[in-house]
Amino acid sequence: MTGLAFIAAGMAGVWLLSTPGSDAAIGARWLRAPVRRAATAAPRAPVSLLRCALAGTAAAAVGWMGAWTLFGGVVAPTLVAVFGAATPPCAMANRRRRRAADCWQAWPSLLAEIRVLVTHRGQSIPAALFAAGSDAPAGMRPAFSEAARTWSLSTDFEASLRVLKTSLADPTADAVCETLLAAHQIGGVRIDARLRALAEAAQAEAAARSDARAKQAGARFARSFVASVPAFMAAIGLSIGRGRQAYESGDGQLLVAFSVLVVAGCWLWASRIMAIPARKRVFVQ
């Protein structure tokens, strides 16, 4: 029981370290204070890499100790530690994809606001774009702020849109930026109809992706449940027969290692076939 309690505490610590932006309990926020202070004092990318490395190292240590508590030996704990080290980077990548999906769903409302500001309030296209960007989701606001700063310093709309496209790296953003640039430079291109068409296309794509994720909810739950069953059965096996001594034997270590490889392979295979393909970017210079 002490070993299982250690595993649970270690997994909770790894989760808190690898999800600094999650809504965790208020009492655990002090654990993330040093990471947040480092994020404000250093560039974002190095801090993210450092956080990922720390989370991977902690997950490997927790996986090794947990596997050694259950199975003993060296082969099985080492294999579990290797897969445990890869868990936080994969979790962070999935979280980035979810944030990108949330940003995609915001484009229809942003386009509608831009269309209203341009056609009904008479604002210029750059002013309407950056005004709408101030109400964008949190994941998109830094890109709009950087583009607005470029516009205020240079009044070069093309350079500002280039900054926006680079920061967002989104096919919908590319199409919107190219349409707005053409309307700003040429004029008389029926911006109202074009923005309405872009908003309808973005709405259709967001609805299709949301529907696909909803249909996969049961399969994703089943994948997690099936992956947790072998670990639960392994814990129960400690109280049957010789328990840990059987796991520590050579044959036991080989069987445990084979089981870990099979579960990890099935997880990766299921993740691959359930991945929703991303739309390729076209307007990339």
Side-chain angles (χ1 to χ4, degrees):
M1 292 300 296
T2 303
L4 296 179
F6 169 80
I7 296 172
M11 292 176 64
V14 171
W15 179 78
L16 289 173
L17 184 61
S18 60
T19 56
S22 60
D23 296 329
I26 298 177
R29 290 179 181 174
W30 64 273
L31 293 173
R32 302 195 300 268
V35 177
R36 287 181 175 176
R37 287 195 296 268
T40 58
R44 183 177 181 85
V47 172
S48 299
L49 293 176
L50 176 61
R51 185 187 299 125
C52 185
L54 291 175
T57 303
V62 171
W64 197 94
M65 291 298 296
W68 182 84
T69 301
L70 292 175
F71 310 121
V74 176
V75 178
T78 302
L79 190 60
V80 172
V82 170
F83 287 112
T87 301
C90 293
M92 292 179 181
N94 288 332
R95 192 164 59 253
R96 285 194 296 269
R97 285 193 290 268
R98 287 196 297 269
R99 283 200 299 264
D102 294 338
C103 293
W104 294 337
Q105 294 180 352
W107 272 115
S109 60
L110 291 177
L111 288 169
E113 184 175 356
I114 293 172
R115 185 169 61 87
V116 170
L117 292 175
V118 172
T119 59
H120 298 285
R121 298 187 181 180
Q123 292 190 8
S124 65
I125 292 176
L129 174 64
F130 300 131
S134 62
D135 297 328
M140 301 175 69
R141 287 175 197 166
F144 279 99
S145 299
E146 187 177 359
R149 188 180 305 111
T150 303
W151 166 254
S152 63
L153 293 175
S154 64
T155 64
D156 187 346
F157 193 47
E158 184 176 2
S160 303
L161 291 179
R162 191 180 305 116
V163 171
L164 184 62
K165 288 166 57 177
T166 303
S167 300
L168 293 177
D170 175 26
T172 304
D174 296 341
V176 172
C177 290
E178 292 297 327
T179 302
L180 294 179
L181 179 61
H184 179 70
Q185 292 180 341
I186 302 174
V189 292
R190 297 180 59 197
I191 185 63
D192 181 71
R194 293 182 182 274
L195 287 178
R196 185 185 295 110
L198 280 175
E200 292 175 355
Q203 181 65 39
E205 182 179 5
R209 289 184 176 275
S210 298
D211 184 62
R213 285 195 298 269
K215 291 180 178 179
Q216 288 182 352
R220 293 183 183 277
F221 173 78
R223 180 187 60 173
S224 302
F225 179 76
V226 171
S228 64
V229 168
F232 180 72
M233 297 301 294
I236 292 178
L238 294 174
S239 60
I240 300 176
R242 294 184 300 158
R244 192 171 185 271
Q245 295 179 357
Y247 288 138
E248 287 180 323
S249 64
D251 294 339
Q253 290 287 297
L254 289 177
L255 289 174
V256 170
F258 176 75
S259 301
V260 172
L261 288 173
V262 170
V263 172
C266 291
W267 180 280
L268 294 175
W269 174 71
S271 301
R272 184 178 181 84
I273 64 175
M274 287 193 298
I276 300 175
R279 188 157 57 94
K280 294 183 178 180
R281 299 178 65 188
V282 178
F283 300 103
V284 181
Q285 297 180 354

